Each structure stands twice: as structure tokens, then as C-alpha cells.
């Protein structure tokens, strides 16, 4: 009876599975602050992507761990046509053409400073960064990415990326904009995963202040105006009000990023025997969807798809 009248029903195609890719072969190494989540080499990733596809998951979001010696202050390696990201996109699209491949666009994994943009003095300079992000997006599209996902929060980057994609002939490449991305402590485990913690300062000059709600609407509407196809709110569970508010004012799909720290909290409490993991996963993801998210990026994508199949 309850299922007949349930207002919110999760399905595997709601999920975006984030993947952390490293150089090498046959590698699957656990991220210490993200129990049961792994950095994988391309071959291992491809096998994982096929499993996700069979579970009904339709999209993956790629992050790469750049070698230290390739990092600089300009994102040079981010534009390498034969870089780890570009090779990963090709390998996944070859092995599983139906999988929607989304790619992270930001400089932090490639930056000696661990910042999302180019650093001058102690500032993260907006406009020069936007130019690199646009080139990076074209490079991902050229490798076969279906959707680029700028997570950097620079101003004006959506228009610049849209223009660059259009003028390079990639009229079918989508943009999922991290529109309301808050400066959050819940990204801590992710920065361990990619070794991308900021070397100085914090990200408050470009990510949003968690005290603000109206600003999220302003940022989101600007991104849509500039050409975003999907807008995102991030993190998710401490920001359900923002997800709902955004859902109420936009006509495009809304995604929410259930981030690394939110994953780690459930994992840690489960390990202590304080929470029932499966119940915590489904209740969390259902709340995020109920708040208004059409898509949910979550490290629980596979686990939740398995639970839903039971
Ligand atoms: C960086 C980026 C971050 C995440 C996604 N892209 C971290 C940050 O902004 O410092 C966080 C994801 C997570 O915590 O799961 N551009």
C-alpha cells in the first residue's frame, strides 16, 4: 500500500557515479577516508563502468589524480590530448558507448597550489582561469565526453565554455554547472582522494558562503542564462533547502552532489555499529530526490543500485 502512494521513488538512472582514476594497470586502491571507495587505473575503471551499466546506472563523473611532476600553475596537463583524463574518456566510451560520460572541469587536481584556478600573488585570478577551463572543456569533448562539469565556481565560465564548444563544432556536448557550490568542510575526503587540498588559504573567494540562500538562486540563474543544461547544488544533505529552492525556480534538470564527507559520515557510523548502512543510504538518497534533485552524484550509486535491485 505504501509503495502505491509513495511520492518519491529512487531508480538507478537517478545516479551519477563519481570515479577516481590514476595511472597504471590493475590498480584498485582504497581511499583511507572513503572506506570501500577506490582510486582505479583505466583498465579497472572500465570493468567497473561495465558493472555500473548492468546495474542500470547511466552516467559516470570522472576525476583524475594527476602526478605531482605534471602539476603547475596553468593547468598545462589538463589540456594534454593524451592526458589521463582524455585517455580515460576514450577508454570508457569505447567499452560502454551508452554510458553518459561527464568530466570534472577545474584546475585543482592539476594545480601545484591545489586551487581551482590560476594563482597570482595570493589571489585566484578569474578571467585567465576561465580561458583555460574553456580549452579544457573542448579537450574533453574532443576525447568523447558527453557532458562537461565545471566545478570551479569562477564567474562567467559557463558562457566561455559554451562559446568554445560551439565554435569547435561540439554543439551536442552538454554542460552540467556546479552552480551553487558551497565552500564546505564536507569535501575533505575528496581532497585526500586526489591529493588536491589547497596549499594556502581556502576556497571561500570562489565557492559560496554556507550562510547564503538567495545567492544560490542568483548564481544558478546566471549559469542557465550563460548556457548550462543541468545545474547543481553541492553538498546535498546540509543543503536540501537550497535544492528545493533551486528546483522551484528553474526549468532545467537539477543535480545534487552527495559529497565525500557525507559518504564518510555514513561509512564511519556504520563501522562503529551506530547506523544501519543500507537504510541510511536509501533514506539519504530519497531525501535528496524528495528535496527536488533530478540527478544525484553519489559514492553510494553502486550500493544503492544493488539495493534497489533486491
Ligand atoms: C574540485 C572539486 C571538489 C569536489 C568536486 N570537485 C573539491 C573542492 O572543491 O575542493 C568535491 C567532491 C566531494 O567532496 O565529493 N573542483
Amino acid at each position: 500500500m505504501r509503495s502505491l502512494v509513495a511520492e518519491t521513488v529512487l531508480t538507478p538512472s537517478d545516479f551519477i557515479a563519481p570515479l577516481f582514476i590514476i595511472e597504471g594497470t590493475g590498480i584498485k586502491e582504497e581511499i583511507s577516508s572513503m572506506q570501500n571507495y577506490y582510486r582505479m587505473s583505466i583498465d579497472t575503471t572500465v570493468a567497473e563502468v561495465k558493472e555500473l551499466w548492468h546495474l542500470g546506472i547511466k552516467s559516470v563523473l570522472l576525476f583524475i589524480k594527476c602526478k605531482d611532476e605534471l602539476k603547475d600553475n596553468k593547468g598545462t596537463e589538463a589540456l594534454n590530448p593524451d592526458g589521463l583524463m582524455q585517455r580515460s574518456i576514450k577508454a570508457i566510451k569505447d567499452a560502454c558507448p551508452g554510458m553518459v560520460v561527464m568530466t570534472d572541469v577545474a584546475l585543482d587536481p592539476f594545480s601545484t597550489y591545489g586551487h581551482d584556478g590560476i594563482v597570482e600573488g595570493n589571489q585566484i585570478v578569474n578571467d585567465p582561469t576561465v580561458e583555460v577551463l574553456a580549452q579544457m572543456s573542448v579537450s574533453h569533448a574532443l576525447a568523447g565526453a558527453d557532458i562537461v562539469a565545471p566545478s570551479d565556481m569562477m564567474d562567467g565560465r559557463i558562457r566561455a565554455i559554451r562559446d568554445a564548444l560551439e565554435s569547435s563544432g561540439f554543439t551536442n556536448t552538454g554542460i552540467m554547472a556546479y552552480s551553487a557550490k558551497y565552500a564546505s568542510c564536507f569535501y575533505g575526503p575528496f581532497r585526500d582522494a586526489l591529493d588536491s587540498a589547497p596549499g594556502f588559504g581556502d576556497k571561500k573567494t570562489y565557492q559560496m558562503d554556507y550562510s547564503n540562500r538567495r545567492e544560490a538562486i542568483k548564481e544558478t540563474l546566471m549559469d542557465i542564462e550563460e548556457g548550462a543544461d543541468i545545474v547543481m547544488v553541492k553538498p546535498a544533505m546540509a543543503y536540501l533547502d537550497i535544492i528545493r529552492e533551486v528546483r522551484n525556480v528553474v526549468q532545467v534538470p537539477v543535480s545534487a552532489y552527495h559529497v565525500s564527507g557525507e559518504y564518510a559520515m555514513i561509512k564511519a557510523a556504520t563501522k562503529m555499529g551506530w547506523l544501519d548502512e543500507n537504510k541510511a543510504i536509501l533514506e539519504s538518497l530519497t531525501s535528496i530526490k524528495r528535496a527536488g534533485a533530478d540527478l544525484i552524484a553519489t559514492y553510494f550509486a553502486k550500493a544503492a543500485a544493488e539495493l534497489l535491485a533486491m
Side-chain angles (χ1 to χ4, degrees):
M1 182 80 82
R2 251 188 285 277
S3 70
L4 281 179
V5 295
E7 298 175 32
T8 307
V9 180
L10 285 175
T11 69
S13 58
D14 296 330
F15 307 139
I16 301 168
L19 298 171
F20 298 120
I21 306 171
I22 53 172
E23 290 287 4
T25 49
I27 299 179
K28 182 173 180 179
E29 60 185 35
E30 193 173 44
I31 299 154
S32 55
S33 50
M34 295 180 72
Q35 242 205 349
N36 210 24
Y37 219 80
Y38 303 87
R39 293 182 206 94
M40 290 180 280
S41 49
I42 292 181
D43 55 337
T44 319
T45 301
V46 164
E48 177 73 9
V49 168
K50 289 182 183 162
E51 277 185 44
L52 295 173
W53 180 256
H54 287 297
L55 286 165
I57 291 169
K58 302 286 168 52
S59 76
V60 291
L61 176 56
L62 310 187
F63 296 94
I64 63 105
K65 184 171 188 299
C66 183
K67 288 186 171 165
D68 278 343
E69 59 267 32
L70 297 175
K71 294 184 182 182
D72 62 18
N73 185 29
K74 301 184 299 191
T76 308
E77 180 59 16
L79 306 179
N80 179 357
D82 199 32
L84 180 56
M85 175 62 92
Q86 288 79 356
R87 278 179 283 128
S88 303
I89 299 166
K90 284 191 196 108
I92 294 171
K93 288 305 288 185
D94 282 350
C96 194
M99 187 63 94
V100 174
V101 171
M102 305 185 175
T103 58
D104 185 60
V105 173
L107 294 189
D108 49 324
F110 304 95
S111 161
T112 34
Y113 295 102
H115 273 291
D116 291 29
I118 295 169
V119 175
E120 275 171 25
N122 59 359
Q123 303 233 351
I124 291 64
V125 287
N126 193 92
D127 294 5
T129 301
V130 167
E131 280 175 41
V132 181
L133 298 173
Q135 292 171 35
M136 193 174 168
S137 301
V138 171
S139 167
H140 292 180
L142 197 61
D146 299 293
I147 295 182
V148 294
S151 65
D152 54 283
M153 288 297 276
M154 299 299 132
D155 291 331
R157 87 278 204 223
I158 302 300
R159 174 153 298 137
I161 290 171
R162 177 60 76 203
D163 289 348
L165 288 172
E166 293 282 324
S167 61
S168 309
F170 294 109
T171 51
N172 292 327
T173 307
I175 303 175
M176 177 169 75
Y178 287 60
S179 300
K181 176 173 177 179
Y182 287 84
S184 169
C185 75
F186 293 107
Y187 307 151
F190 172 97
R191 295 175 188 169
D192 293 342
L194 296 187
D195 185 22
S196 62
F200 70 89
D202 52 39
K203 298 192 176 184
K204 291 180 183 167
T205 59
Y206 44 106
Q207 299 179 351
M208 283 182 48
D209 182 344
Y210 55 70
S211 313
N212 296 351
R213 187 161 53 89
R214 289 190 301 265
E215 190 184 2
I217 305 300
K218 174 175 168 263
E219 292 276 358
T220 304
L221 292 178
M222 274 168 54
D223 282 355
I224 294 173
E225 173 71 27
E226 290 180 27
D229 300 291
I230 302 173
V231 292
M232 186 197 277
V233 175
K234 177 182 177 186
M237 289 201 70
Y239 298 83
L240 296 178
D241 58 326
I242 310 295
I243 297 172
R244 169 48 55 189
E245 194 107 17
V246 166
R247 174 68 288 165
N248 285 349
V249 296
V250 306
Q251 309 300 326
V252 299
V254 174
S255 67
Y257 201 139
H258 187 229
V259 300
S260 56
E262 302 179 271
Y263 174 86
M265 285 194 292
I266 292 178
K267 282 292 185 186
T270 302
K271 193 175 177 187
M272 296 299 286
W274 295 339
L275 280 182
D276 177 318
E277 180 171 18
N278 292 347
K279 288 182 178 166
I281 292 172
L282 293 179
E283 184 175 337
S284 301
L285 298 178
T286 304
S287 324
I288 296 167
K289 187 169 179 181
R290 190 197 61 226
D294 302 290
L295 294 162
I296 306 169
T298 174
Y299 303 98
F300 286 121
K302 188 180 189 183
E306 283 166 348
L307 288 172
L308 294 172
M310 277 165 34

